Amino acid sequence: MQLRRLFTTDSVKGTKNYLKTQKNYEIIRTVIYFAISISLFVAGYIQTGRRANLLSIVAVLGCLPASKSAVGAIMFLRFRSCAEDIAAEIEEHAQGLACLYDMVFTSYKKNYVVSHLAVCGNTVCGFAEGGSTLAELEEAHSNEFYKHIGDILKADGHKNVTVKIFTNLAKYTERLEQMKELEPKEKSTQSIISTLKSVAL
């Protein structure tokens, strides 16, 4: 927990640069965990002159959380945060809307990276940068993603929610301006945001 405090609020899921900050956190934590295990092994070897000692056992057990941390680091290394210039342009049009950044939704078949999401009542819109799986929305991946998110929202009691992901930034910012005219429905908005955050990486 002390290590996490070294990072800014960017380490909170859904905030800008979350993936970048979390990636750094996972890497540093992994290095520290392995360093502790190695130092314990070396200390035990120096004290006893042989590898079979009590500290070696502790060092091996310490590799379990270190390995788990390494898996987390590898997972986050696969994804990148929303580009600064894109985030800046989106922010100009998203003022007043409830927004989420750097959302990664995992399914059995694929991982879907959504750079930005805006929620207003039962309307959810997002933007996927080029290079992500969702950038291929014209292909079969779109239906898989919408079904995946739709099933999650329905399972959590959210009905009649419309979800649309854009890959064209101009069209997305235009849609954000239109969303500002929708009825906010604060309760629905916050509930949907909580659901999306709970199922994202």
Side-chain angles (χ1 to χ4, degrees):
M1 292 301 293
Q2 293 295 326
L3 176 61
R4 190 178 288 275
R5 290 176 188 171
L6 295 174
F7 295 83
T8 66
T9 53
D10 290 344
S11 61
V12 177
K13 188 185 293 186
T15 55
K16 190 163 64 171
N17 290 323
Y18 165 72
L19 289 176
K20 179 180 178 182
T21 307
Q22 191 67 18
K23 186 187 306 181
N24 293 337
Y25 167 73
E26 295 287 347
I27 291 171
I28 293 173
R29 184 176 67 172
T30 300
V31 170
I32 290 173
Y33 282 2
F34 275 114
I36 291 172
S37 292
I38 292 169
S39 62
L40 286 172
F41 175 79
V42 171
Y45 186 77
I46 291 173
Q47 282 185 346
T48 63
R50 54 196 180 93
R51 289 179 293 180
N53 59 71
L54 186 59
L55 283 179
S56 292
I57 296 173
V58 176
V60 170
L61 292 175
C63 286
L64 295 176
S67 298
K68 182 180 178 182
S69 182
V71 170
I74 292 169
M75 190 180 305
F76 277 98
L77 280 169
R78 299 174 57 198
F79 310 113
R80 59 187 176 87
S81 290
C82 182
E84 291 294 332
D85 57 333
I86 292 176
E89 186 168 349
I90 288 174
E91 284 175 354
E92 290 181 13
H93 300 272
Q95 293 179 8
L97 294 173
C99 300
L100 295 169
Y101 285 88
D102 296 353
M103 303 297 285
V104 179
F105 300 101
T106 59
S107 69
Y108 291 112
K109 294 182 179 180
K110 290 186 177 294
N111 298 320
Y112 303 97
V113 184
V114 183
S115 302
H116 185 271
L117 274 173
V119 183
C120 184
N122 286 346
T123 301
V124 179
C125 285
F127 174 73
E129 290 183 65
S132 71
T133 305
L134 284 172
E136 307 164 13
L137 276 179
E138 277 62 42
E139 300 182 15
H141 303 301
S142 59
N143 291 332
E144 291 176 11
F145 173 74
Y146 290 132
K147 184 179 184 306
H148 176 63
I149 291 298
D151 289 345
I152 289 171
L153 291 170
K154 285 177 184 176
D156 212 25
H158 304 294
K159 297 179 181 179
N160 303 318
V161 178
T162 59
V163 180
K164 174 66 177 174
I165 305 298
F166 294 82
T167 56
N168 182 296
L169 184 57
K171 290 181 179 179
Y172 180 57
T173 53
E174 181 182 343
R175 180 58 179 147
L176 290 176
E177 293 294 342
Q178 293 171 355
M179 286 179 68
K180 292 179 183 179
E181 300 174 7
L182 299 175
E183 187 180 344
K185 295 182 182 177
E186 190 66 24
K187 187 175 180 180
S188 296
T189 299
Q190 293 306 318
S191 182
I192 289 173
I193 283 178
S194 296
T195 298
L196 293 174
K197 288 173 72 173
S198 69
V199 299
L201 182 63

